[in-house]
């Protein structure tokens, strides 16, 4: 099992560009999450999903959109990137009442 | 009050020491509790779940006090490899969103 994988691992964008981050899990987990981590801020929840076709807002959803068209995939979109979105993005998945498993992260820089 | 609060540290201890981390949470409806460790520039990894009766995994012991809304992690006989940031995680109300504390940094020296 690959666990949780994230694509891409690194990306540099210019302000105003758009991109999609892909998260895939092969553990048949119901729940999936997107976090961002900034120095001194800890992990902050952007959006999450409790099942295929469902999404919900987390602590810092503004500027991001998500989709969960397939149970194993959770996409995070930035429609118009801003320098404030420079961060490390982590995806995670889990079963109900269990802990989360994280992907290796995507390091995004917005110039 | 922040949803999940931890002492940021750093905790600097010698090998073999016992160290304890504390975490408080604000929502009394929270039901799931976890401790994670995160190494520099790596993804967080699940260390252990925290149960109401307390639980132990080798040198690690976790405790939950629902009345005080308080979670603890005790590490005995610290190893150099225990150096990391330890994150307290609590679910948000009765839903499935998990909220992380900012973490406590531990440095174990020889």
């Amino acid at each position: 099992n690959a666990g949780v994988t994230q694509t891409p691992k690194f990306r540099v964008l210019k302000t105003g560009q758009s991109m999609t981050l892909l998260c895939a899990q092969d553990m048949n987990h119901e729940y999936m999450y997107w976090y961002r981590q900034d120095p001194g801020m800890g992990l902050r929840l952007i959006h999450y999903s409790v099942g295929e076709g469902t999404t919900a807002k987390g602590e810092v959803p503004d500027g991001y959109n998500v989709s969960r068209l397939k149970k194993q995939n959770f996409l995070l979109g930035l429609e118009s990137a801003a320098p404030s979105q420079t961060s490390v993005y982590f995806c995670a998945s889990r079963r109900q009442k269990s802990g989360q498993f994280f992907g290796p992260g995507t390091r995004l820089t917005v110039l | 009050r922040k949803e999940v609060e931890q002492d940021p540290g750093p905790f600097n201890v010698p090998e073999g020491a016992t160290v304890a981390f504390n975490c408080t949470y604000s929502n009394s409806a929270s039901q799931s509790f976890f401790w994670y460790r995160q190494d520099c520039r790596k993804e967080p990894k699940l260390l252990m779940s925290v149960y109401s009766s307390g639980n132990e995994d080798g040198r690690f012991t976790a405790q939950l006090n629902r009345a005080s809304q308080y979670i603890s992690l005790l590490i005995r006989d610290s190893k150099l490899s225990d150096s990391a940031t330890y994150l307290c995680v609590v679910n948000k109300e009765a839903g499935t969103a998990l909220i992380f504390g900012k973490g406590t940094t531990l440095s174990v020296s020889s």
Side-chain angles (χ1 to χ4, degrees), chain B residues 16-73:
Chain B
T18 295
V19 61
F21 304 137
N22 302 322
C23 171
T24 56
Y25 60 96
S26 61
N27 197 311
S28 59
S30 296
Q31 299 173 347
S32 300
F33 310 92
F34 307 94
W35 282 102
Y36 280 72
R37 74 170 274 167
Q38 185 175 26
D39 296 289
C40 188
R41 298 181 66 81
K42 298 282 191 180
E43 72 271 24
K45 293 190 176 177
L46 179 64
L47 184 63
M48 57 198 304
S49 301
V50 186
Y51 303 116
S52 296
S53 55
N55 47 300
E56 188 174 307
D57 183 1
R59 298 181 293 109
F60 299 84
T61 301
Q63 297 279 353
L64 169 64
N65 183 323
R66 286 188 185 274
S68 301
Q69 293 177 210
Y70 170 98
I71 305 160
S72 66
L73 176 69

Side-chain angles (χ1 to χ4, degrees), chain A residues 11-74:
Chain A
R11 186 71 186 268
V12 178
L13 290 178
K14 293 181 180 178
T15 297
Q17 287 185 317
S18 64
M19 78 164 294
T20 300
L21 281 65
L22 170 64
C23 175
Q25 53 96 3
D26 60 2
M27 297 174 282
N28 202 34
H29 286 170
E30 295 90 356
Y31 308 141
M32 297 187 74
Y33 305 80
W34 276 106
Y35 292 89
R36 61 177 288 174
Q37 188 171 36
D38 304 292
M41 296 296 292
L43 280 153
R44 292 183 291 170
L45 181 63
I46 304 171
H47 286 280
Y48 65 101
S49 169
V50 302
E52 185 177 321
T54 72
T55 63
K57 293 180 180 180
E59 302 169 271
V60 290
D62 293 341
Y64 304 95
N65 56 75
V66 288
S67 64
R68 183 113 180 256
L69 299 179
K70 294 182 179 180
K71 186 177 184 179
Q72 64 267 34
N73 295 338
F74 196 28

